[in-house]
Amino acid sequence: MDFPITRAAALKAKPDPSTLVFGKTFTDHMFLMDYHAGQGWHDGRIVPYAPFQLDPSCMVFHYAQEVFEGMKAYRTPEGKIQLFRPIENARRINSSCERMCIPQIDENLFVEAVKALVKVEADWVPDQKGTSLYIRPFIIATDASLGVHASHSYCFCIICCPVGSYYPEGINPVKIYIENDDVRAVRGGTGYTKCGGNYAASIRAGERAEEQGYSQVLWLDGVHRKYIEEVGAMNVLFKLDGKVVTPALEGSVLPGITRKSCLELLRSWGVPVEERRITAEELFDAAQAGKLEEAWGSGTAAVVSPIGELAWGERKVTIHGGKIGALTQKLYDTLTGIQWGTQPDPFGWVVKLD
Ligand SMILES: *Cc1c(COP(=O)(O)O)cnc(C)c1O
């Protein structure tokens, strides 16, 4: 697949990789593709990174008909660039599109578009330990019209930003707060999609958690308000009495690619894994009985983020003495080894750029 490339007239200075702040610096180019009813997706192209001009009545501004993805390009020790399971992002954006009545994109075209843009921006993929190029594909509804129905036109865009190491000072377990009032998603809603609306609804609880000194919110299910769902932008896994348990995917939880990769690795190591419902009560009781051995979040940004403390109303527990556990560490080392190409890739997860 060949996409026409319009080069930026002047290239930006590359930021210092040791001081990179997530999501603030964008590369020189972006990928664009348009959709019009009757015409389908057309005119995939790479152009200089620049602001959009959109009509104020544009549907995405009013009804949030929008989906996105998050993935990374990694620099290997040989200086090559590789992606991690990009076809999974292509499948997931299409699953999100289906729910939001957005026309789907051919999965190979999606991956080829990502590869083409990253090739143009190859110099932006940093090479310091733990750094990467974050890739944000997204689709917005562009009909200039108020009135709630599916748009007839869309814009698919991919932007990239270099990101520093998530753990510049080593892995520090995080403190997480279980939210009792706001809910993120219910079955039948959009919880399993990556759509901006889910995040808009989560901001208030995130602010409350921060005010109380917690870094993220752990959501409970929206119906019974007792089953664990996930953390902010991460899925959550627990080592409970020798087994790994994680909430089952029942429509309200985002099907994370890092979650899936953790489960596949754990199964390959012979670790018993259960995908099921877990109540907050069960977790806190297990912690009191000394059986909550490890807990961690999983997501593209952090890979694996150990949870050192959980708070639920008046109840608070410390997990693994507030330090990363051995299994969490092994998952982190294995996943990052595969992603950055310092370890073999037995599952064929990596897609090399050249
Ligand atoms: C993206 C995301 C995740 C993690 O998914 P990965 O594919 O592992 O990055 C988890 N929860 C939510 C709500 C997300 O948006």
Side-chain angles (χ1 to χ4, degrees):
M1 251 169 264
D2 260 342
F3 303 107
I5 302 171
T6 310
R7 299 267 168 188
L11 301 183
K12 302 172 194 168
K14 307 281 185 298
D16 173 358
S18 59
T19 57
L20 282 175
V21 180
F22 176 80
K24 299 282 188 207
T25 309
F26 296 92
T27 64
D28 295 304
H29 301 88
M30 61 185 181
F31 179 90
L32 287 180
M33 184 165 67
D34 304 314
Y35 178 94
H36 291 97
Q39 213 180 343
W41 286 108
H42 62 90
D43 282 307
R45 60 201 183 274
I46 292 170
V47 298
Y49 184 97
F52 288 149
Q53 199 167 34
L54 290 171
D55 196 284
S57 69
C58 203
M59 289 194 57
V60 65
F61 296 142
H62 305 275
Y63 310 121
Q65 200 192 2
E66 182 265 359
V67 296
F68 69 94
E69 270 303 321
M71 54 203 292
K72 284 175 169 178
Y74 307 86
R75 179 81 66 182
T76 71
E78 296 77 39
K80 305 271 192 215
I81 298 172
Q82 57 189 32
L83 304 171
F84 182 71
R85 311 190 81 174
I87 195 73
E88 296 289 340
N89 297 95
R91 290 185 186 131
R92 187 169 64 192
I93 203 170
N94 277 341
S95 157
S96 300
C97 283
E98 193 278 330
R99 178 66 181 82
M100 305 298 277
C101 293
I102 295 174
Q104 302 192 10
I105 294 178
D106 177 86
E107 286 164 9
N108 287 320
L109 191 151
F110 175 95
V111 174
E112 290 304 318
V114 169
K115 285 167 79 173
L117 180 62
V118 175
K119 274 186 191 169
V120 169
E121 303 298 53
D123 289 347
W124 282 92
V125 183
D127 61 3
Q128 293 202 341
K129 189 171 163 35
T131 62
S132 57
L133 185 71
Y134 184 79
I135 306 163
R136 166 56 58 87
F138 62 102
I139 307 174
I140 56 172
T142 52
D143 273 10
S145 140
L146 299 181
V148 182
H149 56 73
S151 183
H152 302 90
S153 58
Y154 297 86
C155 172
F156 173 52
C157 179
I158 310 174
I159 55 175
C160 306
C161 49
V163 290
S165 171
Y166 198 85
Y167 297 112
E169 276 119 40
I171 303 185
N172 281 322
V174 291
K175 288 168 69 178
I176 302 267
Y177 150 106
I178 299 185
E179 171 63 32
N180 266 324
D181 296 320
D182 289 0
V183 298
R184 175 185 171 274
V186 291
R187 224 196 295 188
T190 56
Y192 68 92
T193 71
K194 252 182 142 59
C195 71
N198 288 342
Y199 279 84
S202 78
I203 290 172
R204 185 170 71 177
E207 292 203 340
R208 283 194 206 128
E210 273 176 35
E211 276 164 22
Q212 296 179 48
Y214 292 89
S215 61
Q216 292 202 44
V217 171
L218 178 59
W219 299 101
L220 295 179
D221 78 281
V223 176
H224 310 279
R225 309 284 189 103
K226 63 180 191 187
Y227 299 109
I228 299 291
E229 295 232 304
E230 61 181 312
V231 182
M234 290 192 285
N235 294 107
V236 65
L237 300 92
F238 304 97
K239 184 163 173 251
L240 262 183
D241 205 9
K243 289 181 202 153
V244 171
V245 295
T246 189
L249 303 176
E250 296 183 321
S252 51
V253 170
L254 195 288
I257 297 163
T258 321
R259 171 191 184 276
K260 180 176 178 167
S261 305
C262 284
L263 296 182
E264 289 173 19
L265 282 173
L266 290 163
R267 290 190 172 112
S268 79
W269 297 337
V271 177
V273 169
E274 292 176 355
E275 294 176 73
R276 61 169 172 87
R277 292 186 178 180
I278 309 156
T279 60
E281 189 86 46
E282 177 186 350
L283 274 188
F284 279 74
D285 289 350
Q288 262 162 1
K291 292 181 173 169
L292 177 54
E293 294 155 355
E294 298 182 35
W296 64 95
S298 71
T300 297
V303 190
V304 160
S305 174
I307 300 172
E309 184 184 321
L310 267 182
W312 181 34
E314 297 303 306
R315 295 177 79 174
K316 285 197 175 82
V317 294
T318 302
I319 303 165
H320 204 271
K323 300 203 177 64
I324 185 167
L327 191 60
T328 312
Q329 183 76 53
K330 185 175 175 187
L331 279 170
Y332 179 81
D333 292 342
T334 309
L335 281 169
T336 54
I338 295 172
Q339 290 168 335
W340 272 274
T342 57
Q343 275 193 35
D345 171 30
F347 300 93
W349 286 342
V350 154
V351 171
K352 295 182 162 49
L353 233 60
D354 31 36

